[in-house]
Amino acid sequence: MKITILIIITSCCVFPLVFANLRLGFYGVSCPKAEAIVRDVVQRHFNKDRSITAALLRMHFHDCFVRGCDASLLIDPTGNRSSEKDAVPNRTVRGYDIIDDAKSILERACPETVSCADIISLATRDAVALAGGPSYNVPTGRRDGLVSNPKEVRLPSPTLSVSEAMQSFGAKGFSLMEMVTLVGGGHSVGVAHCSMFRERLSSFRGGSVDPTMDPNLDARLVELCGSSNRPATNDPTVFLDLNTPFAFDNRFYNQILERRGILHFDQQLAMDESSRDMVSRFATDGDILFQDFANAMIKLSAVNVWLDNEGEIRRNCRAFN
């Protein structure tokens, strides 16, 4: 299943003040090939590694949830200054090479024109489409931020309840439906380290199986992750969607309805009375998921963006000008 979604942004709908400045085709005159350049770079990387969809979705989320979508996550730490990359949740973020490749080509084609923040949003959109997900339009015109502080990195934990996570998403302007959409869509192609869910496993619970987890899944994960006395080395990863881990689809929602969610929070989405019906709806109708996910991603990409003469257009995405 693959559908194309065309979103028309008007000043009377979501985020009116932001979308009045972000617009489709922002680089139509200043850098006409900008979006094609990003798309070609993403295609080249995807051909070698289909897991980049998950990597870019995670990068996009981690950037936008801290200070907004300003590419602050891309800044490298230096000898006398730390950055968001130093924060624990960001130490396993990857995909920076994709952004670097796109920026390098764009700087040769249109120097100091296309922001790193826009590259993240465009690259993520293209990677989702390549994985079989919705193809949607992303308004552009973001500017790059001037601060990258690891102390400001506060992201929702996979151990939270639905209501606790909703506090974090709600603070960014997202509804419960949008949270369920973004989390499920992102986890459709994502992975998790054993350290993120091992406390759910019987080998870490004195032999007691988590009643919210399918026993067969518990046995499979115990074999991978080890026990509290002898944990697996190198903290292995497991696909969050056990059936179609590289395809963007609605199978993840069916999986958590069967008590086969890897992360505590994922499983809670299917069990909490506030979100259970939404999960069932997406599990039944993938087209609705695609439409809602596209809308939620466009909204995510507009969180607290820098516009017009704010911030800067970095020459190198890893360093302030």
Side-chain angles (χ1 to χ4, degrees), residues 2 21 23 40 77 88 100-101 113 115 117 122 125 149 152 171 173 208 210 228 231 237-238 241 252 261 267 290 292:
K2 185 172 182 179
N21 292 281
R23 66 178 187 270
D40 288 346
V88 173
D100 290 339
D101 285 355
T113 300
S115 71
L122 292 170
R125 175 200 64 180
N149 184 350
E152 295 183 351
S208 172
D210 185 333
S228 57
T237 60
V238 60
D241 182 335
F252 168 84
Q267 191 56 59
F290 276 37
D292 287 354

Side-chain angles (χ1 to χ4, degrees), residues 282-299:
F282 289 142
T284 302
D285 194 330
D287 288 343
I288 292 177
L289 169 64
F290 276 37
Q291 179 72 60
D292 287 354
F293 183 80
N295 287 329
M297 284 298 291
I298 293 170
K299 184 172 178 177

Side-chain angles (χ1 to χ4, degrees), residues 17 19 54 62 66 88 105 134 185 192 221 227 240 249 269 271 283 296 298:
L17 295 179
F19 285 145
H62 281 222
V66 180
V88 173
I105 297 171
L221 295 178
S227 66
L240 296 175
D249 55 27
L269 287 176
M271 302 182 68
I298 293 170

Side-chain angles (χ1 to χ4, degrees), residues 249-276:
D249 55 27
N250 65 338
R251 296 290 297 276
F252 168 84
Y253 293 98
N254 287 277
Q255 179 180 305
I256 61 177
L257 288 172
E258 297 167 354
R259 292 191 301 139
R260 294 178 62 78
I262 305 299
L263 300 176
H264 168 81
F265 177 66
D266 289 352
Q267 191 56 59
Q268 290 304 305
L269 287 176
M271 302 182 68
D272 192 285
E273 62 180 12
S274 69
S275 54
R276 183 172 53 223

Side-chain angles (χ1 to χ4, degrees), residues 184-214:
H187 290 183
S188 171
V189 291
V191 299
H193 288 270
C194 289
S195 58
M196 299 178 70
F197 59 83
R198 62 189 176 191
E199 292 183 0
R200 298 188 66 205
L201 305 183
S202 59
S203 56
F204 288 81
R205 292 164 52 92
S208 172
V209 177
D210 185 333
T212 67
M213 180 180 286
D214 173 68

Side-chain angles (χ1 to χ4, degrees), residues 150-172:
K151 294 180 180 180
E152 295 183 351
V153 177
R154 291 181 289 275
L155 297 164
S157 166
T159 63
L160 296 179
S161 66
V162 173
S163 61
E164 289 170 336
M166 190 56 222
Q167 292 178 23
S168 180
F169 278 84
K172 301 295 182 182

Side-chain angles (χ1 to χ4, degrees), residues 25-26 31-40 122 125-126 138 140:
F26 179 85
C31 192
K33 296 183 178 179
E35 295 198 25
I37 289 171
V38 174
R39 186 179 301 110
D40 288 346
L122 292 170
R125 175 200 64 180
D126 296 336
V138 174
T140 44

Side-chain angles (χ1 to χ4, degrees), residues 2-216:
K2 185 172 182 179
I3 59 178
T4 299
I5 298 171
L6 300 178
I7 307 294
I8 299 176
I9 305 299
T10 68
S11 61
C12 63
C13 57
V14 183
F15 284 114
L17 295 179
V18 169
F19 285 145
N21 292 281
L22 291 178
R23 66 178 187 270
L24 298 178
F26 179 85
Y27 298 108
V29 174
S30 61
C31 192
K33 296 183 178 179
E35 295 198 25
I37 289 171
V38 174
R39 186 179 301 110
D40 288 346
V41 169
V42 174
Q43 178 76 69
R44 176 160 46 84
H45 281 268
F46 184 84
N47 290 343
K48 295 184 293 185
D49 179 10
R50 290 190 295 163
S51 74
I52 69 163
T53 303
L56 288 170
L57 278 166
R58 186 164 182 247
M59 176 192 292
H60 191 279
F61 180 82
H62 281 222
D63 182 54
C64 291
F65 250 60
V66 180
R67 299 189 67 83
C69 305
D70 65 349
S72 54
L73 175 60
L74 303 184
I75 295 296
D76 281 342
T78 64
N80 56 11
R81 187 194 65 226
S82 57
S83 77
E84 289 178 25
K85 286 183 178 178
D86 291 317
V88 173
N90 289 335
R91 291 176 185 172
T92 53
V93 172
R94 59 191 183 86
Y96 300 115
D97 56 327
I98 302 171
I99 309 302
D100 290 339
D101 285 355
K103 183 60 172 175
S104 177
I105 297 171
L106 286 165
E107 282 300 299
R108 292 196 296 271
C110 316
E112 300 181 55
T113 300
V114 181
S115 71
C116 301
D118 274 343
I119 295 173
I120 294 175
S121 292
L122 292 170
T124 303
R125 175 200 64 180
D126 296 336
V128 168
L130 287 169
S135 177
Y136 53 93
N137 292 320
V138 174
T140 44
R142 297 162 191 79
R143 305 269 293 181
D144 298 323
L146 303 174
V147 175
S148 183
N149 184 350
K151 294 180 180 180
E152 295 183 351
V153 177
R154 291 181 289 275
L155 297 164
S157 166
T159 63
L160 296 179
S161 66
V162 173
S163 61
E164 289 170 336
M166 190 56 222
Q167 292 178 23
S168 180
F169 278 84
K172 301 295 182 182
F174 291 95
S175 67
L176 177 61
M177 175 70 78
E178 289 166 335
M179 180 181 77
V180 175
T181 307
L182 289 170
V183 171
H187 290 183
S188 171
V189 291
V191 299
H193 288 270
C194 289
S195 58
M196 299 178 70
F197 59 83
R198 62 189 176 191
E199 292 183 0
R200 298 188 66 205
L201 305 183
S202 59
S203 56
F204 288 81
R205 292 164 52 92
S208 172
V209 177
D210 185 333
T212 67
M213 180 180 286
D214 173 68
N216 292 326

